[in-house]
Amino acid sequence: MKLLKEILRALTRPPVTTQYPAKPASLPPSFRGPPDFDDARCIRCFACSSVCPTGACYVQDISDGERTVLIIDYTRCISCGRCVTICPTDALHHTREYSLLASRKTLYTLSSTEVDVRFIRCTECNQPITDVSHIRFIADRLSENLPEEVRDRALEDFKRFSSLCPACRTKLARKLGTSPEKWC
Amino acid sequence: MTRSAALLPIGPYHPAFIEGEFLRLWVRGERVVGAEIKLGYNHRGIMKLMEQRTFHQNIFLAERVCGICNTAHAICYCTAVERLLGISPPHRAQLLRILLAELERIHSHLLLIGLVADLAGFRTLFMYAWKIREHVLDAIERITGSRRHSGMVTIGGVSRPVPGKDLASARRSLLVLAKELPKLLSIMRESTTLKRRCRGVTEVDKQTARKIGFVGPNARASGLKLDVRAAEPYLPYAELDWKPVLGEFGDSFERLIVRAREAYQSLRTALICIKQLLSESGPLTVEYQLRAGEGIARVEAPRGELVYYLAAESTAHPSFVRIRTPTMLNLSAIVQLLPGLRVADVPIAIGSIDPCMTCCDRVTVLSAQSAAVLARIPLRALTTWKP
Amino acid sequence: MVLNALFRWAFRRSPWVGLLQVGGCNGCTIEVVDALTPRFDIERFGAVYKSTPRHVDILLVTGCVTVGSVNFLKRIYDQIPDPKVIVAVGTCAVSGGIFTNRVESASSYAVLGGIDRVIPVDIYVAGCPPKPEAIIDALLEAAKLLAEKRQ
């Protein structure tokens, strides 16, 4: 009797099975796919690549060193969302891609959009320092937050120091006598 | 073992255990006279890897110790770090952690009920348990954005806010489950297939359970009141009108029943949690500064007591990490109970303790050249061990 | 001739599927089993889950290759009759995932990396873990590949 009731109930209900390949998959609004860049917002601070637990997000030279790009390798990405939380300008967002298939030949296509990196090189020793837009972002933040009376002087100092790599920066600081070691 | 006993090797790849493990049984006729489990096929060197990565990167590594009870691992790791740093997460973050942990417990228990039913030859129950399990996964996916690895728990709280809309939607999925769970329990209690296959297999009384070292639902099935949530509340469970579920017979069947009852209780806790979360607001994380020290945390994972110990020297990396997972204890306990069983009951006996081999493979020393297991050494000896 | 073609048509989407976990965290393994159960149900495409590698056409491998599991992965690969399709399910099986790093020195000592370090892989499914929908997609793709290999 109980079984009969169950059968009757099953007849009236819609099937639980999804119609998947025929109908699109149901993704919740909070779905965490692998992240992608918003080129206009990205300031190339490389915070994402330094927090990535798998090394999926990285900077690489491509086309024989002509271009340098910041990229997320989806074959390594675990969609943990750490880069999305850490990004200071919300330039990263989770995509809604859930089916990342590839064959051996197309494996390289599993990656995010490339973000071009234009390194500033140290004027003294030609070492790459960081990207142009990162420097610009810091300068903008400085001029926003510094008080009026020191702003111009600080920005001038910033311009001088930001064109140097960390090693040369220390040298200059020693020469100018602003090194903290002097005070210890 | 003895000369007349035949050796029956099961594994390392065997349909009864999806994961890699090697079970050696010495049998005389249909009776098992000796048993040995060889682990190490899944050893990934997680504890060593944790010492190379930063505290934040390790959260995701801790999650991937086990794909089934990942939130328990993340909560345990983060609690250990928080004790090291001397901070405690805000109340709303703690409630969210309870919600995630309890949802995970429901899905883990339903998963096991299905798997044991499959081992017992009751495929309908397997399909039914996994069908209703999808409702929990829907709720988890709605809240965290992923079906399995939540990636939500972070040091000092919870990393992402959860909109009320998502919580309400998760609540709707859970209410559907609330109708189905009693039905599952009644099917389990009434079905002769499951009862005949599981009743009386590896029956353990209270004293024996304590002696052989069962933890988690397996110990509670024998009536042993062993629950970290009650003994050492690491999250505010007391607010949520919660108390441990206890069984009495302590056989394989009772372990399943205790899990089903616990799933129901977790569902109730999760619903209360959602109600509280919807009504209150507050910060999700606290500020902190890294410092030297050590932290130890015990958490009740779906399979039992999970322990993380870590020490740090005020760098961005922990200098020493140790993990003790519940399956290590449960597995070593069940191996002692296998002699005397029939061979056909062995998968059920092992299945009923909810083994998670990926959790286990900790302190196995492997030779990198020959892929041979060199030694299986106790924790204490590890500091002085030389190949 | 006609009968042969009819057979091929009838079996074009009915592969037997095996599942093997060689390391990793169980997450992808459970997602593959999820794909067998009522919500996703790969049996509606004719695919049947088989637990012994000797009956299998398509092998879904989850998890990274650990030092301990290299040998049995190779042995199971040899046990599968030709033609066979190997699908790497999950980020760990594709590249080693979180247990390895792009920089070799930051990888775990016990993990070799993706399963393509040991056996040839035909289809990769990235994701940690991939949704059952992705596994269904991979399976349909694998069935297509299997039909090509059979000809």
Side-chain angles (χ1 to χ4, degrees):
Chain A
M1 201 57 216
K2 211 173 162 189
L3 198 67
L4 200 68
K5 221 160 70 185
E6 194 63 31
I7 291 168
L8 284 176
R9 207 184 294 159
L11 279 176
T12 54
R13 275 192 212 156
V16 273
T17 312
T18 54
Q19 308 279 307
Y20 169 58
K23 281 183 189 166
S26 64
L27 299 177
S30 54
F31 180 72
R32 270 190 297 135
D36 201 359
F37 289 103
D38 182 350
D39 200 337
R41 278 187 178 176
C42 178
I43 55 164
R44 281 82 162 161
C45 63
F46 311 124
C48 43
S49 65
S50 64
V51 296
C52 182
T54 61
C57 181
Y58 61 97
V59 184
Q60 198 188 28
D61 284 339
I62 53 166
S63 45
D64 293 330
E66 299 241 314
R67 267 175 84 203
T68 308
V69 291
L70 180 62
I71 198 168
I72 298 178
D73 180 358
Y74 287 173
T75 61
R76 286 201 166 276
C77 178
I78 52 167
S79 313
C80 63
R82 179 78 181 126
C83 49
V84 178
T85 8
I86 204 88
C87 184
T89 54
D90 292 334
L92 277 158
H93 61 274
H94 288 293
T95 55
R96 298 180 68 75
E97 276 175 51
Y98 59 90
S99 181
L100 295 161
L101 293 194
S103 68
R104 185 181 293 276
K105 281 180 196 149
T106 58
L107 201 58
Y108 67 91
T109 58
L110 290 184
S111 54
S112 69
T113 44
E114 294 158 358
V115 176
D116 274 296
V117 177
R118 294 181 308 276
F119 276 117
I120 293 185
R121 287 182 181 272
C122 176
T123 46
E124 298 280 318
C125 62
N126 210 24
Q127 283 281 318
I129 314 167
T130 185
D131 189 83
V132 191
S133 43
H134 188 201
I135 299 278
R136 207 176 299 141
F137 177 78
I138 298 172
D140 286 351
R141 287 284 283 271
L142 274 178
S143 60
E144 255 173 52
N145 296 328
L146 282 175
E148 195 86 28
E149 56 270 23
V150 291
R151 186 184 295 162
D152 289 342
R153 228 180 65 217
L155 280 179
E156 207 172 289
D157 269 4
F158 176 74
K159 207 176 271 174
R160 189 150 59 159
F161 277 97
S162 64
S163 59
L164 296 173
C165 71
C168 298
R169 216 177 288 162
T170 321
K171 268 184 219 157
L172 180 66
R174 285 238 173 83
K175 212 170 82 190
L176 295 179
T178 52
S179 156
E181 284 163 26
K182 197 176 145 191
W183 309 102
C184 309
Chain B
M1 290 286 143
T2 46
R3 206 175 299 161
S4 58
L7 174 67
L8 182 67
I10 302 177
Y13 171 69
H14 192 268
F17 326 106
I18 292 172
E19 301 153 84
E21 71 182 275
F22 189 26
L23 176 65
R24 276 194 285 190
L25 292 178
W26 280 271
V27 291
R28 197 176 288 135
E30 270 301 302
R31 292 282 158 189
V32 178
V33 290
E36 190 184 276
I37 283 188
K38 184 182 168 195
L39 294 170
Y41 297 100
N42 256 326
H43 179 75
R44 287 153 287 160
I46 288 181
M47 293 192 293
K48 195 72 200 162
L49 208 53
M50 277 189 169
E51 291 163 17
Q52 297 170 9
R53 295 190 178 171
T54 64
F55 279 108
H56 259 110
Q57 290 174 338
N58 282 345
I59 302 169
F60 305 110
L61 198 54
E63 266 184 4
R64 278 149 187 90
V65 173
C66 175
I68 303 171
C69 45
N70 59 75
T71 315
H73 277 271
I75 291 175
C76 194
Y77 171 77
C78 288
T79 313
V81 176
E82 279 153 12
R83 288 188 183 158
L84 188 156
L85 302 175
I87 53 170
S88 114
H91 188 247
R92 189 176 165 80
Q94 288 188 350
L95 280 181
L96 258 172
R97 282 184 185 185
I98 292 188
L99 175 62
L100 291 175
E102 294 309 309
L103 289 182
E104 185 184 82
R105 200 181 309 278
I106 304 169
H107 110 70
S108 172
H109 285 350
L110 289 178
L111 180 151
L112 179 85
I113 290 166
L115 285 184
V116 175
D118 190 31
L119 290 177
F122 191 7
R123 270 189 87 82
T124 314
L125 183 61
F126 166 57
M127 290 296 180
Y128 184 68
W130 282 61
K131 186 187 104 184
I132 63 176
R133 183 173 155 272
E134 291 292 332
H135 298 300
V136 198
L137 291 180
D138 280 350
I140 296 177
E141 192 180 23
R142 185 75 197 215
I143 292 171
T144 70
S146 168
R147 280 163 62 90
R148 193 54 38 71
H149 293 297
S150 63
M152 285 272 282
V153 184
T154 188
I155 299 166
V158 170
S159 60
R160 280 186 295 274
V162 181
K165 218 165 61 184
D166 286 353
L167 282 175
S169 155
R171 189 167 168 271
R172 278 196 296 279
S173 316
L174 291 181
L175 286 177
V176 180
L177 182 70
K179 275 188 209 139
E180 303 268 10
L181 263 180
K183 214 158 104 189
L184 176 84
L185 199 60
S186 76
I187 293 176
M188 282 169 69
R189 283 206 170 117
E190 286 164 20
S191 94
T192 42
T193 320
L194 199 64
K195 218 184 275 178
R196 281 198 189 156
R197 291 282 270 134
C198 301
R199 258 285 178 235
V201 176
T202 59
E203 202 169 328
V204 184
D205 61 13
K206 217 168 168 177
Q207 279 75 35
T208 326
R210 193 190 292 275
K211 208 178 89 196
I212 60 175
F214 263 149
V215 288
N218 305 327
R220 293 199 285 278
S222 304
L224 196 62
K225 201 176 165 189
L226 252 184
D227 198 314
V228 187
R229 288 172 289 176
E232 189 196 303
Y234 51 96
L235 288 171
Y237 275 100
E239 287 174 26
L240 301 172
D241 180 26
W242 172 92
K243 56 179 189 302
V245 175
L246 294 179
E248 43 186 334
F249 301 110
D251 55 1
S252 296
F253 186 67
E254 189 73 11
R255 284 181 213 133
L256 291 187
I257 293 288
V258 161
R259 283 199 169 82
R261 281 167 58 204
E262 227 176 75
Y264 195 67
Q265 194 203 36
S266 293
L267 182 67
R268 205 171 132 259
T269 317
L271 285 172
I272 299 174
C273 225
I274 289 180
K275 207 170 145 197
Q276 276 208 28
L277 280 167
L278 282 172
S279 64
E280 70 169 54
S281 62
L284 283 175
T285 45
V286 286
E287 296 281 313
Y288 59 87
Q289 203 130 45
L290 292 180
R291 69 174 193 196
E294 53 181 2
I296 186 161
R298 297 201 293 159
V299 159
E300 184 73 19
R303 287 167 182 74
E305 182 193 40
L306 172 69
V307 183
Y308 267 66
Y309 168 80
L310 44 95
E313 289 163 355
S314 66
T315 54
H317 314 261
S319 59
F320 185 79
V321 182
R322 280 295 166 265
I323 308 170
R324 196 192 70 189
T325 51
T327 305
M328 201 72 221
L329 303 172
N330 285 333
L331 201 64
S332 55
I334 198 76
V335 171
Q336 298 170 39
L337 297 177
L338 290 183
L341 289 183
R342 284 180 305 156
V343 176
D345 287 337
V346 170
I348 290 184
I350 293 186
S352 72
I353 61 147
D354 204 353
C356 175
M357 302 307 159
T358 51
C359 284
C360 284
D361 289 340
R362 290 281 86 73
V363 220
T364 312
V365 180
L366 297 153
S367 154
Q369 286 86 35
S370 61
V373 180
L374 289 182
R376 222 165 270 104
I377 41 180
L379 263 176
R380 216 177 302 124
L382 200 72
T383 45
T384 56
W385 186 79
K386 278 188 194 69
Chain C
M1 194 65 195
V2 180
L3 212 62
N4 255 345
L6 190 72
F7 255 58
R8 265 210 299 278
W9 177 82
F11 282 107
R12 79 196 189 286
R13 272 177 142 192
S14 306
W16 283 8
V17 179
L19 167 63
L20 173 65
Q21 182 185 349
V22 284
C25 78
N26 242 343
C28 306
T29 315
I30 300 299
E31 289 294 79
V32 173
V33 183
D34 246 352
L36 294 168
T37 51
R39 172 75 73 89
F40 299 101
D41 195 14
I42 55 167
E43 288 187 14
R44 67 200 150 110
F45 307 112
V48 179
Y49 174 70
K50 285 283 156 190
S51 25
T52 151
R54 291 192 175 84
H55 295 170
V56 154
D57 298 316
I58 297 173
L59 186 71
L60 306 171
V61 188
T62 63
C64 50
V65 180
T66 63
V67 173
S69 65
V70 180
N71 287 342
F72 84 81
L73 176 61
K74 277 183 190 160
R75 257 171 70 184
I76 281 172
Y77 180 78
D78 291 338
Q79 283 172 4
I80 305 170
D82 282 327
K84 54 196 163 194
V85 176
I86 308 292
V87 184
V89 179
T91 301
C92 286
V94 172
S95 67
I98 192 161
F99 306 110
T100 58
N101 197 299
R102 225 169 54 78
V103 188
E104 196 73 22
S105 62
S107 303
S108 168
Y109 61 88
V111 175
L112 297 188
I115 55 165
D116 53 3
R117 294 266 177 109
V118 182
I119 58 170
V121 176
D122 296 300
I123 293 170
Y124 297 81
V125 193
C128 187
K131 274 175 81 80
E133 281 96 342
I135 293 165
I136 290 174
D137 278 350
L139 210 68
L140 294 179
E141 200 66 30
K144 227 181 274 170
L145 202 64
L146 189 70
E148 274 170 32
K149 280 192 177 180
R150 274 190 182 142
Q151 272 168 9

